[in-house]
Amino acid sequence: DIQMTQSPASLSASVGDRVTITCRASQSISTYLNWYQQKPGKAPKLLMYTASTLQSGVPSRFSGSGSGTDFTLTISSLQPEDFATYYCQQSDSAPRTFGQGTKLEIK
Amino acid sequence: QVQLVQSGAEVKKPGASVKVSCKASGYTFTSYDINWVRQATGQGLEWMGWMNPYSGRTVYAPKFQDRVTMTRDTSVSTAYMEVSSLRSEDTAVYYCARGLTRVAALDYWGQGTLVTVSS
């Protein structure tokens, strides 16, 4: 199985900050990397797929980059609605594993 | 609009089975894979497997290979996931999610079904 490791596990930031979350795969996954946002009690929401393609309706302050084994999700200017948990997922091969999550909290 | 509507919460005893349904609407059911993901309380997301509703082909995560069965009824645009030999650690919210063609990202999700396993 491909292991996905996110860092940091948690992050405190303020509205307006720029934040970056990192996801590392245990082997190359090309650009088959997806990012999700989850708020408490809700289903996850797709933010980004194939590492850098913004899902329809997602604000442009979200961006993604990377290929191979190292990927990043960046939020350019945090908004109050962005405080949530973020997960990466590889869709290169089954099982399509998720990272353990990064909880983004208000400072 | 695309919707995935799941069946309601279940309480089961250890050793029993549970079958969760996921009814799709707003798109052609047979054109997109259905994935199943679960999440224990306070924990992360765990991918369980996917099914191609057109062919019925399934791929399961090795962890669930022996206890999970994914099926579908195309006449009612509904996918099903059955978990057998339930144990307490199967207590979780189970989600179905549609997979984008070729890239397999999960673009629409059901609301989740809480399955509680308790004696």
Side-chain angles (χ1 to χ4, degrees):
Chain A
D1 298 3
I2 298 174
Q3 308 303 315
M4 305 301 293
T5 304
Q6 286 182 236
S7 60
S10 64
L11 176 58
S12 293
S14 301
V15 172
D17 284 354
R18 178 185 179 90
V19 300
T20 297
I21 299 169
T22 297
C23 181
R24 175 165 287 175
S26 60
Q27 64 189 70
S28 178
I29 56 171
S30 183
T31 57
Y32 289 102
L33 191 283
N34 313 308
W35 289 99
Y36 302 87
Q37 175 194 67
Q38 187 179 33
K39 296 182 179 179
K42 300 293 187 182
K45 172 187 174 183
L46 178 64
L47 297 177
M48 198 89 54
Y49 59 93
T50 55
S52 60
T53 305
L54 202 64
Q55 171 69 345
S56 175
V58 174
S60 59
R61 62 180 179 272
F62 290 91
S63 63
S65 66
S67 66
T69 60
D70 293 318
F71 302 86
T72 59
L73 173 70
T74 298
I75 310 171
S76 61
S77 178
L78 274 173
Q79 299 302 299
E81 61 267 30
D82 299 337
F83 292 95
T85 300
Y86 293 83
Y87 294 93
C88 63
Q89 182 210 21
Q90 64 85 13
S91 51
D92 178 71
S93 62
R96 294 174 183 161
T97 40
F98 289 90
Q100 80 278 19
T102 295
K103 187 173 184 179
L104 180 52
E105 298 174 304
I106 301 173
K107 184 182 287 184
Chain B
Q1 70 285 18
V2 173
Q3 279 193 301
L4 297 173
V5 178
Q6 298 183 223
S7 49
E10 302 262 14
V11 179
K12 296 290 183 182
K13 293 192 183 302
S17 297
V18 67
K19 191 171 186 177
V20 179
S21 67
C22 171
K23 183 171 177 60
S25 61
Y27 73 98
T28 302
F29 177 62
T30 51
S31 295
Y32 295 83
D33 295 340
I34 292 288
N35 291 247
W36 290 88
V37 174
R38 77 178 185 180
Q39 185 172 39
T41 302
Q43 302 301 307
L45 302 170
E46 186 172 30
W47 186 83
M48 301 178 69
W50 64 262
M51 180 191 64
N52 181 309
Y54 179 79
S55 64
R57 181 191 175 207
T58 54
V59 173
Y60 302 125
K63 174 178 179 177
F64 300 105
Q65 182 74 43
D66 295 335
R67 296 196 299 129
V68 167
T69 304
M70 297 175 188
T71 57
R72 88 292 192 210
D73 183 342
T74 57
S75 69
V76 290
S77 300
T78 300
Y80 303 92
M81 186 199 57
E82 184 170 21
V83 184
S84 62
S85 303
L86 287 166
R87 31 209 192 227
S88 58
E89 50 266 39
D90 293 318
T91 295
V93 175
Y94 289 76
Y95 294 102
C96 62
R98 191 181 82 162
L100 276 176
T101 305
R102 290 191 300 277
V103 299
L106 308 180
D107 63 343
Y108 286 93
W109 294 64
Q111 83 276 19
T113 296
L114 175 61
V115 175
T116 303
V117 183
S118 174
S119 55

